[in-house]
Amino acid sequence: MPIRPKSLLYAHDAATGVATITLNRPDRLNALTFEVYGELRDTFRDLDTEPGVRAVVLTGSGKGFCSGGDVEDIIGALFARDAAGLREFTRMTCEVIANIRRCRRPVIAALNGTVAGAGAVIATACDFRVASETAKIAYLFVRVGLSGADMGASWLLPRIVGLGRATELLMTGDFIDAKRAHEIGLYNRVVPGEQLLAEATSLAARLARGPSPALALTKQALDLEFTMTLDQALRYEADAQAELMLHPNFREAYEAFREKRDARFTE
């Protein structure tokens, strides 16, 4: 079935293979509701196999990327739930992150303005973070009496910025500006706000022209190999690389090199 979320904006450029998801509650800095969480979970699940999609951009409308869970629509409502109901909610939020990581397409977060709480973790789960100069980020969970270990933050963040910096960000809940986030490797690129979406989309289009199976396996390996010994990782990579050498993309890259042209990867 076609991807048609109700609470998100979705567009697919068939010419480039880039799909764009836009959080669309600009009057609330794109704060998340139960519905938005559910649709993000389902959309990223579906994007893994959506025909013609080769890369994904995730962004927010208005002045911010995402300010986290909506204080009234989610946080207030959670006080009415029992332990089982709370666990149902937290597991759903974690499924959003799991589906971003399981999606074999490269996912680029285009970050503007406020990137906070659950919004910060969603950005962290993406493969690339392209940010505007105004994109301040904070993992706010301890500020509201919750653990910084939320939605996989304690797994994801140390792998990007290191244990020491991740500890500081998750235990203080402090905002850092775009310059600092770029310095510690949390943001891949920082650009003027008016260039943000174009920069993120250009990166997505470049990745979409690449060999999709090879990129998918690279994404998978970056997650899986953290739990492997070196010997296990070497065996995994040897098997994976040998399999890709049988793929037509490998032959196409060789022929393109010999003919002094750009490779044309059809999948």
Side-chain angles (χ1 to χ4, degrees):
M1 294 179 62
I3 295 175
R4 292 175 180 167
K6 296 178 181 178
S7 60
L8 310 168
L9 300 179
Y10 176 80
H12 174 217
D13 185 338
T16 63
V18 175
T20 302
I21 303 168
T22 305
L23 301 170
N24 193 36
R25 302 184 74 219
D27 55 321
R28 302 298 292 271
L29 289 177
N30 299 312
L32 301 165
T33 66
F34 294 110
E35 181 183 21
V36 175
Y37 269 120
E39 292 205 317
L40 281 171
R41 174 199 60 199
D42 296 346
T43 299
F44 276 102
R45 177 201 62 205
D46 295 343
L47 282 169
D48 183 48
T49 56
E50 180 68 7
V53 173
R54 297 169 66 91
V56 181
V57 173
L58 175 63
T59 192
S61 60
K63 297 181 179 180
F65 173 72
C66 178
S67 58
D70 191 287
V71 173
E72 297 301 328
D73 290 349
I74 283 187
I75 297 176
L78 290 177
F79 290 113
R81 294 197 176 197
D82 60 12
L86 293 171
R87 193 171 297 110
E88 179 185 23
F89 168 69
T90 55
R91 286 178 175 171
M92 178 184 71
T93 67
C94 287
E95 287 173 3
V96 175
I97 302 304
N99 287 351
I100 292 173
R101 295 310 307 160
R102 289 172 186 150
C103 179
R104 288 169 291 178
R105 318 312 183 203
V107 181
I108 298 92
L111 308 174
N112 58 305
T114 299
V115 187
V121 188
I122 289 170
T124 305
C126 295
D127 301 298
F128 298 85
R129 284 154 296 283
V130 179
S132 76
E133 295 167 330
T134 65
K136 60 180 182 177
I137 188 168
Y139 302 81
L140 294 173
F141 308 106
V142 295
R143 296 288 187 94
V144 296
L146 298 177
S147 166
D150 189 89
M151 294 172 64
S154 292
W155 191 94
L156 293 161
L157 192 58
R159 287 162 169 76
I160 298 172
V161 302
L163 180 61
R165 290 179 177 129
T167 301
E168 182 178 357
L169 289 169
L170 295 177
M171 286 194 173
T172 65
D174 289 344
F175 274 100
I176 58 172
D177 62 20
K179 181 175 182 293
R180 180 58 178 159
H182 187 249
E183 287 174 349
I184 66 176
L186 183 53
Y187 292 170
N188 298 88
R189 303 179 186 180
V190 174
V191 298
E194 64 273 15
Q195 298 176 20
L196 174 62
L197 194 55
E199 182 76 11
T201 303
S202 175
L203 174 59
R206 175 187 172 186
L207 292 164
R209 292 191 297 271
S212 291
L215 292 172
L217 198 143
T218 302
K219 179 171 181 173
Q220 181 186 65
L222 287 167
D223 284 350
L224 291 179
E225 292 189 33
F226 271 107
T227 63
M228 296 181 184
T229 65
L230 176 59
D231 285 345
Q232 289 170 331
L234 290 172
R235 287 194 296 271
Y236 168 81
E237 292 193 5
D239 291 343
Q241 204 75 316
E243 183 175 344
L244 285 174
M245 287 174 180
L246 296 172
H247 195 282
N249 283 339
F250 188 51
R251 170 68 66 177
E252 165 59 17
Y254 171 70
E255 297 294 347
F257 176 79
R258 294 188 64 191
E259 296 168 14
K260 296 181 173 55
R261 60 172 175 82
D262 293 334
R264 295 183 290 270
F265 299 115
T266 58
E267 59 176 303

